Amino acid sequence: MYRNAKNVGYYMIGKGSLAQLGDLLAARRATEKGPAIFFLDHVFKDGSLAARLPVEDRDYVVYVDTTEEPTTVSVDGYCAQVKEFLAGALPCALLAFGGGSTLDTCKCVANLLTNPGRAEDYQGWELVQHPAPYKIAVPTLSGTGSETSRTGIVCNEAKNLKLGMNSDFTMFDQVLLDPELTASVPRQQYFYTGIDTYMHCFESITGSYRNVVVDALAHKAIDLCKEVFLSADMMADENREKLMIASFLGGMAAGFVGVVHPLSAGLSMVLHMHHGVANCHALSVLEDIYPEQHAEFLTMMDRQGIVLPKGICQGLDDAQFQALYEASIVHEKPLSNRLGPNFRNILTKENVRSRFERM
Ligand code: NAD
Ligand code: ZN
């Protein structure tokens, strides 16, 4: 069976393009009566970003707390807040300004506005039944590709499961990429999130589930990541634009990752570690599975002056190592994508534990 693949409908790219967001939203307001819902990362709580946005009195602004990455509980909470404000109406648009956490929160809440139940009911593939309201993504941090991907990732603490709502309905309808918005990102964060694109794409092209379009996008995104992270300053103006485009392409190429993301998900679930840095720890102990990329990644870190802390699993007890193993090995699709259906013969419990111990 072939899959009918969807891409993001519209995109606008360019320095200063945020000034045109009002025109994009005005087109929606002209045909849809409802208010607009703005999701802003809490780093913008001082109001400086909101002041530049086409927010009207009848709209609603939600500040998303990204201290922790989205959970089924946090998404349900924001959804309840938005539903109370809307009082049965539907919004003309939902707009998200932030990194993957804010974009994913917006995507998941949107699904829950038109589908009954709670966030955890939709963790998986093709579970969302009804189209979500119209959504616009404005990334302020590049790398996850959430702006173009068909998933919104949430951690389910009760089930020890990090899994997204994978659906065409989860995708944004419009993306606006303004590289000026990433100038304020702290350097470490910029690296850890940015390198997520590189990881998604090399995991994709080194896997067995492939297609030519996805390969082309992934190769281009990897080239851009190399240009950015092997340059003298990854945050130079032209590099912030390149990374934004790499993330955009990478999100379209995402779908099947490999071994990095499952181990990273384990770290996120058990140690509450953020996605980008967790990926880096994961790749740091996968030199046998991804030798070329492992070496290249070390060069990139060195070039950008990024030092990954060591000993992150020191002092964990057996139950915690077991939880790390379980939250990693559960991701059968990506693991078999790289290692084949017998991936458990390679990633035995002892093998996985020793990798975590080396981080
Ligand atoms: P994030 O959204 O969690 O943000 C990280 C930090 O950067 C936060 O402290 C935030 O306040 C700050 N920040 C964001 N923009 C800023 C700016 N312009 N200036 C200063 N600070 C800024 O980080 P992320 O790495 O983008 O997202 C991680 C989440 O994305 C995880 O939950 C991960 O699972 C998810 N993810 C989603 C997809 C997808 O396809 N949907 C893919 C990969 C990862
Ligand atoms: Zn990722």
Side-chain angles (χ1 to χ4, degrees), residues 119-141:
E120 69 167 9
D121 302 335
Y122 300 98
Q123 281 187 289
W125 282 266
E126 321 315 335
L127 301 173
V128 183
Q129 300 296 319
H130 307 289
Y134 180 92
K135 301 184 287 296
I136 303 180
V138 184
T140 67
L141 174 59

Side-chain angles (χ1 to χ4, degrees), residues 59-72:
D59 297 336
Y60 191 59
V61 178
V62 184
Y63 284 99
V64 179
D65 186 344
T66 56
T67 316
E68 297 282 345
E69 294 182 341
T71 63
T72 48

Side-chain angles (χ1 to χ4, degrees), residues 24 146 209 306:
L24 300 176
S146 174
Y209 313 130
I306 302 293

Side-chain angles (χ1 to χ4, degrees), residues 106-183:
C106 172
K107 290 161 101 172
C108 294
V109 169
N111 282 341
L112 292 172
L113 291 181
T114 48
N115 291 273
R118 298 184 300 164
E120 69 167 9
D121 302 335
Y122 300 98
Q123 281 187 289
W125 282 266
E126 321 315 335
L127 301 173
V128 183
Q129 300 296 319
H130 307 289
Y134 180 92
K135 301 184 287 296
I136 303 180
V138 184
T140 67
L141 174 59
S142 305
T144 66
S146 174
E147 58 275 25
T148 45
S149 77
R150 67 192 300 275
T151 189
I153 298 177
V154 273
C155 294
N156 188 323
E157 304 288 341
K159 291 186 182 164
N160 189 29
L161 179 67
K162 181 172 187 177
L163 187 62
M165 295 187 187
N166 295 274
S167 162
D168 285 348
F169 298 138
T170 307
M171 291 180 83
F172 284 101
D173 300 280
Q174 168 82 54
V175 177
L176 187 146
L177 301 178
D178 184 345
E180 283 183 351
L181 293 170
T182 61

Side-chain angles (χ1 to χ4, degrees), residues 143-144 153 196-197 199-200 203 257 261 264 275 279:
T144 66
I153 298 177
D196 195 17
T197 297
M199 308 255 186
H200 288 159
E203 286 180 277
V257 285
H261 274 75
S264 167
H275 183 69
N279 283 342

Side-chain angles (χ1 to χ4, degrees), residues 288-347:
D288 52 335
I289 295 177
Y290 297 115
E292 183 193 327
Q293 293 80 9
H294 177 266
E296 197 162 59
F297 162 72
L298 294 184
T299 309
M300 290 174 175
M301 283 211 300
D302 187 49
R303 191 74 49 89
Q304 302 306 328
I306 302 293
V307 180
L308 201 58
K310 285 300 264 180
I312 56 163
C313 292
Q314 258 170 25
L316 297 189
D317 58 26
D318 288 347
Q320 285 170 306
F321 278 113
Q322 178 66 20
L324 279 169
Y325 167 75
E326 283 169 8
S328 305
I329 209 77
V330 67
H331 296 281
E332 296 183 354
K333 278 189 195 188
L335 292 172
S336 60
N337 185 32
R338 173 62 179 170
L339 301 173
N342 298 325
F343 64 86
R344 281 192 176 78
N345 295 346
I346 300 164
L347 296 180

Side-chain angles (χ1 to χ4, degrees), residues 191-211:
F191 182 85
Y192 290 142
T193 295
I195 202 85
D196 195 17
T197 297
Y198 175 76
M199 308 255 186
H200 288 159
C201 293
F202 85 64
E203 286 180 277
S204 175
I205 58 169
T206 54
S208 52
Y209 313 130
R210 313 266 291 272
N211 81 51

